[in-house]
């Protein structure tokens, strides 16, 4: 498969064909299939409040909801046309989708939240720094923001992934392995990070501050973005509102999310305090770190090919109102 090219670089015939297919798709589509994960805070808020059901009804569209354990399988589902829209995934995940030739459109991004992911060890661990991870078993989710944080932190300490024993684990499996001592360190993001900090005795070896900015992106299948831009405009507007509400009403937001996540409200509030939730359009200037991420994964032979991280489709909110 080949990677998706920007509309300005497609030939005229290809563009006309794509628009024709999009038109037919638009007429047939009455559902927007939304994928999300536990850390997709703003989408979980909209789902819990029934906001998109109400706001999309005038367009004759209903959302259907599909939960995933982490970002990589979420974008794989989007690429396979099993989803139309992806709630926020870490900045690392899209580069894997691009390398696989996925035809995805960046709809929005959240401003950086570097402290919302970290490398942690148990409080009594003899490990005192990232350099001490050499030869140790470290758990993390493949292609997640935590994966890049580990690569970048190891590089800063003069090490690489070859110097540790990696264990690819979902957040739930990572927590279990961490608690029973099956891994020496765990790299994870909020709200799982806050839950571990509040429920267990842990120490942070490093978070993303000065290492990895940890931006999160909202994406759509390009076919859907071309066919139903008015649906994406509604979703974008509601994400912006939800982001402002979570930051302006932290206790109310925590009270709403706690029973949904199965986490106490204080932990939710701590986790939300480290995320920016500042939703904004995805623009090329804001995607510069994507190339560093892609190059880092390619250098570790984790990407099948080198990519141009900026060779992507960008959605312009409001342009198709």
């Amino acid at each position: 498969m080949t990677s998706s090219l920007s509309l300005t670089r497609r030939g005229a015939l290809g563009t006309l064909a794509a628009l024709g297919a999009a038109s037919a798709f638009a007429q047939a589509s009455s559902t927007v299939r939304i994928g999300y994960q536990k850390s997709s805070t703003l989408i979980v808020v909209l789902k819990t409040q029934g906001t998109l059901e109400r706001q999309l009804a005038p367009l004759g569209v209903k959302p259907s909801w599909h939960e995933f354990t982490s970002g990589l399988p979420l974008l794989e589902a989007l690429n396979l046309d099993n989803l139309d829209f992806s709630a926020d995934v870490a900045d690392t995940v899209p580069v894997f989708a691009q390398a696989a030739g996925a035809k995805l459109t960046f709809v929005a991004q959240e401003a950086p939240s570097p402290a919302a992911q970290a490398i942690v060890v148990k409080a009594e661990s003899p490990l005192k720094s990232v350099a001490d991870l050499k030869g140790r078993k470290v758990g993390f989710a493949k292609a997640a923001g935590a994966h890049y944080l580990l690569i970048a932190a190891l590089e800063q300490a003069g090490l690489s992934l070859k110097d540790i024993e990696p264990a690819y684990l979902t957040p739930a499996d990572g927590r279990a392995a961490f608690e029973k001592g099956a891994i020496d360190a765990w790299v994870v993001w909020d709200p799982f990070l806050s839950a571990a900090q509040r429920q267990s005795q842990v120490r942070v070896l490093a978070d993303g501050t000065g290492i990895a900015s940890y931006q999160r992106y909202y994406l759509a299948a390009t076919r859907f973005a071309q066919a139903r831009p008015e649906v994406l405009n509604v979703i974008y507007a509601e994400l912006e509102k939800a982001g402002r509400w979570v930051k302006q009403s932290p206790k109310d937001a925590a009270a709403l999310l706690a029973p949904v996540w199965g986490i106490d409200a204080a932990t939710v509030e701590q986790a939300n305090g480290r995320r920016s939730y500042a939703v904004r359009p995805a623009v090329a200037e804001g995607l510069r770190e994507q190339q560093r991420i892609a190059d880092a994964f390619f250098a570790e032979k984790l990407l099948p090919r080198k990519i141009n991280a900026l060779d992507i489709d960008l959605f312009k909110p409001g342009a198709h109102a």
Side-chain angles (χ1 to χ4, degrees):
M1 297 179 69
T2 57
S3 63
S4 174
L5 299 176
S6 67
L7 284 174
T8 57
R9 297 178 60 190
R10 291 192 181 104
L13 291 177
T15 301
L16 288 174
L19 291 175
S23 177
F25 178 69
Q27 294 174 4
S29 176
S30 60
T31 302
V32 54
R33 300 165 297 172
I34 300 174
Y36 67 101
Q37 48 186 319
K38 194 169 190 175
S39 55
S40 300
T41 308
L42 303 186
I43 280 290
V44 173
V45 167
L46 298 181
K47 178 179 183 292
T48 304
Q49 294 178 328
T51 304
L52 293 183
E53 282 79 359
R54 294 190 299 273
Q55 298 301 322
L56 291 173
L59 300 178
V61 174
K62 295 180 180 179
S64 66
W65 304 96
H66 309 271
E67 186 172 357
F68 291 77
T69 57
S70 61
L72 187 58
L74 202 169
L75 287 200
E76 287 173 345
L78 196 66
N79 184 34
L80 294 172
D81 197 31
N82 293 322
L83 294 173
D84 303 309
F85 180 81
S86 165
D88 53 311
V89 295
D91 40 18
T92 54
V93 184
V95 302
F96 282 86
Q98 282 180 260
K103 293 181 176 5
L104 305 179
T105 295
F106 283 63
V107 177
Q109 66 185 126
E110 287 182 12
S113 304
Q117 56 178 356
I119 304 170
V120 298
V121 296
K122 290 186 176 181
E124 70 274 14
S125 170
L127 307 181
K128 303 299 182 185
S129 69
V130 173
D132 293 336
L133 293 176
K134 186 173 183 177
R136 301 290 185 154
K137 190 171 186 178
V138 183
F140 54 94
K142 185 177 183 179
H147 194 163
Y148 177 66
L149 170 59
L150 179 61
I151 290 174
L154 288 171
E155 181 180 12
Q156 193 176 74
L159 302 174
S160 74
L161 287 180
K162 297 181 181 64
D163 294 306
I164 66 162
E165 182 182 349
Y168 293 139
L169 299 168
T170 65
D173 290 341
R175 176 70 184 269
F178 183 71
E179 293 291 349
K180 67 182 182 182
I183 54 178
D184 298 296
W186 186 31
V187 197
V188 72
W189 60 95
D190 275 318
F192 311 104
L193 172 60
S194 287
Q197 288 177 307
R198 293 182 62 86
Q199 297 165 7
S200 306
Q201 295 296 312
V202 304
R203 270 190 296 109
V204 171
L205 289 187
D207 64 19
T209 304
I211 303 174
S213 64
Y214 189 48
Q215 297 185 89
R216 296 181 68 91
Y217 294 97
Y218 298 82
L219 300 102
T222 295
R223 182 174 73 148
F224 187 86
Q226 293 171 345
R228 302 307 304 262
E230 75 282 13
V231 173
L232 294 184
N233 277 331
V234 170
I235 295 174
Y236 178 88
E238 296 305 324
L239 286 169
E240 269 194 329
K241 293 176 188 175
R244 290 193 296 269
W245 178 73
V246 170
K247 298 306 285 187
Q248 292 169 2
S249 307
K251 293 193 180 301
D252 290 340
L256 175 77
L257 291 164
V260 179
W261 283 351
I263 301 173
D264 66 278
T267 299
V268 175
E269 188 172 352
Q270 175 178 308
N272 286 347
R274 291 194 288 225
R275 286 273 296 276
S276 74
Y277 297 125
V279 176
R280 57 195 186 184
V283 295
E285 292 76 18
L287 291 164
R288 297 298 175 188
E289 190 176 19
Q290 292 299 98
Q291 191 63 55
R292 292 196 296 275
I293 292 170
D295 291 344
F297 279 115
F298 181 74
E300 291 286 350
K301 297 182 171 54
L302 295 167
L303 277 188
R305 62 185 178 88
K306 195 172 181 64
I307 66 165
N308 176 0
L310 299 183
D311 189 12
I312 55 175
D313 288 329
L314 296 172
F315 182 75
K316 295 183 179 179
H320 308 279

